[in-house]
Amino acid sequence: MGLLRTFKPVFTCQQIWTAVRCVQPRYSSRLASREGRTDVDKFRSQVSSGPSLQDFIKGISADRTSDEDESQPEEHSYLGEDLLTSNSRKVYFEVYGCQMNVNDTEIAWSILQKKGYKRTASLNEADVVLLVTCSIREKAEQTIWNRLQYLTAMKKKRLKTPTPMKIGILGCMAERLKMELLEREKLVDVLAGPDSYRDLPRLLAVADGGQQASNVLLSLEETYADIMPVHHAAQGHTAFVSIMRGCDNMCSYCIVPFTRGRERSRPVSSILQEVQMLSDQGVKEVTLLGQNVNSYRDTSQEHFCNSDPTKLSRGFKTVYRSREGGLRFADLLDQVSSIDPDMRIRFTSPHPKDFPDEVLHLIAERRNICKQIHLPAQSGSNEVLEAMRRGYTREAYLDLVKNIRQIIPDVSLSSDFISGFCGETEADHQQTLSLIREVGYNVGFLFAYSMRKKTHAFHRLQDDVPAEVKQRRLKECVEVFREEASKVNAALIGSTQLVLVEGESKRSADDLCGRTDGNVKVNFPKEDVVAQPEGSSTTPVRAGDYVVVKILSASSQSLRGRSICHGSLRGLAMPFKTLTQDQHG
């Protein structure tokens, strides 16, 4: 949830047709009757030249592979290529929610760019406004509803212009609230769910004809493996690469399986191709993305498939049967980290159940795989964890933390917590506070519970914790979290850290900022430094550089230090201070 806030089908339908109601006026005269027959004949002619049954069942031959299905371009012969081409119309994206939505935006933009659309950073210049949305909490959805009211007012001012504005909703909210979005005050022209971005050119063409258009079908196999995202990261030194989509865990509070669908993994070959391309472009950090990223399992090649069962963290279980075969997350992480030894590799958002020892040992051994693990706990109470259907106990979670720190002694841990879940008592809340203290995280994502329709909790549990109690418990969790994060970060004072520079600090134009291997922000003065510790000539520090920074002070959210010299993941033996188990309490 936090950092991402984040089927093979029986058949697939390559094209989704938008129904158009045709209402014929009634006339009393014979002339009108003849004209009516003429109109009917014309309509029949149009229907006969439109899509046939073959268009709907096209491409579902049993002997076709999923890779072949994805690589085939969609054709909409009944629309015509001229209608699918934008004539240089300008599209403006607004992205809300998790990092997966940022990656989805890059995919959608790649598709539209090929059809002639131009991207604009100015809302006032936009012919098409696309909101990439989140449904994880009610507040996120309310933000979109409020934004739609503003955009609709803009749209009305341009109704009589040569290029009237079109508004589209993409992503999870389109999937979850499709009927409300189409019917509520007619605010939206286009809806596209997370698995329907290939259909955007057609949907926009239909909208240009004056009709609302939607495609929110979830897919059993869509991974957009053949679409190379157009990365739009600031300054181009970091990038996110989607490796899988969907989630099968079915935690009782979570809407993701209902808005993102079932788990399916992108073929390893296309992932490696994208990471290699990013390396060639000079990207210094890649984050592998997925709703449940470490459950990655590529079965696209026959030789990947065997009878080996999926290995889980000790003491963890799933609501589904154990999967067999496939190229697993450890295999992918091994290959991705081998592409460029000077490129950092991160991944998010994982589930604690999918951390077998081979993944942990690989992280420990590879210098370019960041020693930072997101480990969502959600609660410290066994009763609440069971109600959440998390598949583990407090004791199993703490055993996993101990195992991680034994294998990766200098690891940084982050987590997610929900305050006020259904049935949570004051004793349950106190157990969550004690877990936060016992583990000692340096980054956290904490939220008050927000019930979502369609979830197991919505159907089976009662949202019985008052809102004011949720907020009070959340505040207490945040306070304890910051106390412990301050201790963890304070233990780094006096150490040297390799920092990837992101750019100028937001707090001061005289400072630069970057992140450590453990994903902690570091601010340091903007000054030239030597290329090597023993060198004498200095050079400027720029965004995308690695620099060695000595840590001088710390807070719960960031570090402050002074740069010593330029650095490299593979060219410098770093004298990092290693945290012991005692320093984590």
Side-chain angles (χ1 to χ4, degrees):
M1 191 177 113
L3 285 177
L4 279 179
R5 308 243 227 241
T6 194
F7 292 91
K8 277 188 175 177
V10 177
F11 69 92
T12 59
C13 181
Q14 297 292 327
Q15 300 160 336
I16 311 298
W17 318 102
T18 300
V20 180
R21 293 181 61 195
C22 295
V23 181
Q24 298 293 336
R26 295 181 179 180
Y27 301 95
S28 57
S29 67
R30 293 182 180 179
L31 177 60
S33 177
R34 287 195 299 272
E35 289 176 350
R37 283 196 299 272
T38 302
D39 290 341
V40 170
D41 291 341
K42 184 186 297 182
F43 177 70
R44 285 174 177 169
S45 175
Q46 290 174 341
V47 170
S48 65
S49 63
S52 68
L53 176 62
Q54 295 303 314
D55 290 302
F56 285 90
I57 63 174
K58 180 181 177 182
I60 55 173
S61 172
D63 60 356
R64 287 182 62 184
T65 66
S66 61
D67 282 348
E68 290 174 335
D69 287 339
E70 289 194 4
S71 64
Q72 293 297 319
E74 290 194 58
E75 296 179 359
H76 305 287
S77 56
Y78 68 102
L79 285 177
E81 188 62 30
D82 57 326
L83 293 177
L84 296 176
T85 303
S86 78
N87 294 321
S88 298
R89 295 177 69 199
K90 294 181 179 179
V91 60
Y92 176 83
F93 288 95
E94 282 189 9
V95 187
Y96 298 83
C98 68
Q99 189 58 51
M100 198 72 181
N101 281 354
V102 176
N103 185 259
D104 279 3
T105 302
E106 293 168 348
I107 291 171
W109 172 228
S110 178
I111 292 167
L112 292 177
Q113 189 180 50
K114 291 177 181 178
K115 293 297 182 180
Y117 284 84
K118 304 296 181 183
R119 187 166 183 173
T120 179
S122 171
L123 176 61
N124 293 326
E125 294 180 355
D127 303 307
V128 178
V129 178
L130 299 178
L131 308 185
V132 188
T133 61
C134 173
S135 279
I136 202 77
R137 279 172 290 279
E138 184 178 356
K139 183 178 179 181
E141 292 184 350
Q142 189 56 51
T143 299
I144 301 299
W145 285 118
N146 294 340
R147 187 60 169 161
L148 283 175
Q149 296 289 345
Y150 175 81
L151 293 174
T152 301
M154 286 187 65
K155 177 182 173 181
K156 288 179 179 178
K157 295 178 181 178
R158 291 179 50 177
L159 284 177
K160 296 182 179 180
T161 64
T163 56
M165 178 188 289
K166 300 298 179 183
I167 301 173
I169 295 290
L170 276 55
C172 295
M173 194 169 167
E175 170 60 38
R176 197 182 88 79
L177 297 173
K178 41 191 172 285
M179 295 310 297
E180 291 179 53
L181 284 164
L182 288 174
E183 295 175 1
R184 184 167 162 179
E185 301 178 40
K186 307 296 182 183
L187 300 179
V188 176
D189 301 293
V190 168
L191 286 182
D195 295 341
S196 306
Y197 300 141
R198 294 177 189 270
D199 203 26
L200 271 174
R202 184 191 69 86
L203 296 175
L204 289 169
V206 172
D208 284 340
Q211 300 292 327
Q212 290 181 308
S214 69
N215 182 350
V216 293
L217 292 185
L218 290 175
S219 170
L220 290 162
E221 59 183 21
E222 179 64 87
T223 64
Y224 300 105
D226 59 310
I227 295 175
M228 193 62 68
V230 179
H231 293 281
H232 209 68
Q235 301 168 318
H237 303 301
T238 62
F240 295 83
V241 175
S242 174
I243 69 168
M244 58 87 65
R245 301 175 74 84
C247 182
D248 290 347
N249 290 321
M250 301 300 291
C251 299
S252 61
Y253 56 82
C254 189
I255 192 65
V256 167
F258 304 97
T259 59
R260 291 275 180 176
R262 301 292 299 276
E263 287 180 13
R264 61 271 190 205
S265 296
R266 180 177 169 186
V268 64
S269 57
S270 71
I271 297 171
L272 298 178
Q273 179 185 1
E274 184 174 350
V275 174
Q276 181 64 63
M277 179 197 73
L278 293 170
S279 174
D280 295 340
Q281 293 174 356
V283 169
K284 293 295 183 68
E285 182 178 288
V286 163
T287 301
L288 306 179
L289 286 179
Q291 269 78 29
N292 191 28
V293 68
N294 54 340
S295 70
Y296 178 86
R297 190 173 70 99
D298 178 15
T299 57
S300 62
Q301 301 293 323
E302 187 175 347
H303 64 274
F304 292 162
C305 301
N306 52 53
S307 59
D308 293 341
T310 298
K311 295 179 182 179
L312 299 180
S313 307
R314 288 185 289 276
F316 288 68
K317 61 183 180 180
T318 65
V319 297
Y320 53 83
R321 292 181 181 179
S322 177
R323 275 72 184 269
E324 294 184 351
L327 188 140
R328 304 295 308 186
F329 184 64
D331 304 311
L332 173 68
L333 200 57
D334 175 33
Q335 294 186 52
V336 167
S337 62
S338 299
I339 290 175
D340 184 349
D342 212 32
M343 173 192 278
R344 275 181 175 172
I345 304 298
R346 300 188 189 275
F347 56 89
T348 196
S349 181
H351 191 287
K353 70 178 172 59
D354 291 307
F355 278 110
D357 285 358
E358 56 260 37
V359 171
L360 301 177
H361 283 294
L362 182 63
I363 295 172
E365 293 164 6
R366 294 286 168 86
R367 294 184 63 181
N368 64 331
I369 301 178
C370 291
K371 310 302 182 282
Q372 182 261 329
I373 292 178
H374 187 61
L375 209 61
Q378 308 300 0
S379 176
S381 162
N382 283 339
E383 287 72 18
V384 174
L385 288 172
E386 184 176 358
M388 289 179 167
R389 304 209 301 179
R390 289 292 288 171
Y392 55 85
T393 62
R394 174 194 179 101
E395 293 74 23
Y397 182 90
L398 287 172
D399 284 345
L400 175 60
V401 170
K402 181 179 179 181
N403 188 45
I404 290 173
R405 285 190 166 139
Q406 285 178 341
I407 297 173
I408 316 170
D410 54 348
V411 71
S412 295
L413 297 179
S414 57
S415 193
D416 301 339
F417 285 91
I418 298 173
S419 293
F421 185 67
C422 305
E424 183 188 70
T425 65
E426 195 61 32
D428 295 327
H429 170 59
Q430 292 300 320
Q431 290 178 43
T432 295
L433 295 180
S434 71
L435 181 69
I436 295 172
R437 290 190 180 100
E438 186 168 352
V439 175
Y441 307 94
N442 66 348
V443 177
F445 301 87
L446 294 82
F447 307 95
Y449 175 60
S450 174
M451 181 170 274
R452 306 279 75 199
K453 292 181 180 179
K454 296 185 179 180
T455 62
H456 177 86
F458 178 80
H459 292 291
R460 303 292 180 86
L461 303 177
Q462 185 177 354
D463 188 9
D464 54 0
V465 180
E468 61 273 16
V469 175
K470 291 180 182 179
Q471 291 303 318
R472 190 258 301 169
R473 291 176 183 174
L474 174 61
K475 182 180 178 181
E476 292 177 2
C477 284
V478 170
E479 289 173 351
V480 172
F481 218 108
R482 287 178 175 169
E483 290 173 8
E484 298 306 314
S486 294
K487 296 176 185 177
V488 173
N489 290 343
L492 296 174
I493 296 174
S495 70
T496 52
Q497 299 289 323
L498 187 64
V499 173
L500 177 60
V501 182
E502 296 178 343
E504 191 174 277
S505 172
K506 293 180 180 179
R507 294 187 175 183
S508 172
D510 296 328
D511 288 346
L512 295 172
C513 71
R515 291 189 179 272
T516 67
D517 183 90
N519 205 29
V520 181
K521 180 175 284 189
V522 182
N523 295 291
F524 55 95
K526 186 188 296 183
E527 55 190 5
D528 295 356
V529 297
V530 296
Q532 295 294 333
E534 66 279 2
S536 58
S537 61
T538 61
T539 56
V541 177
R542 298 183 175 88
D545 288 347
Y546 287 113
V547 292
V548 181
V549 178
K550 184 170 183 177
I551 304 304
L552 303 175
S553 63
S555 69
S556 64
Q557 300 183 52
S558 64
L559 306 171
R560 183 159 186 85
R562 195 169 205 98
S563 54
I564 298 173
C565 64
H566 287 273
S568 168
L569 282 174
R570 51 184 169 180
L572 183 65
M574 288 301 303
F576 292 143
K577 180 178 180 180
T578 300
L579 301 182
T580 65
Q581 182 68 26
D582 292 340
Q583 288 172 300
H584 291 286

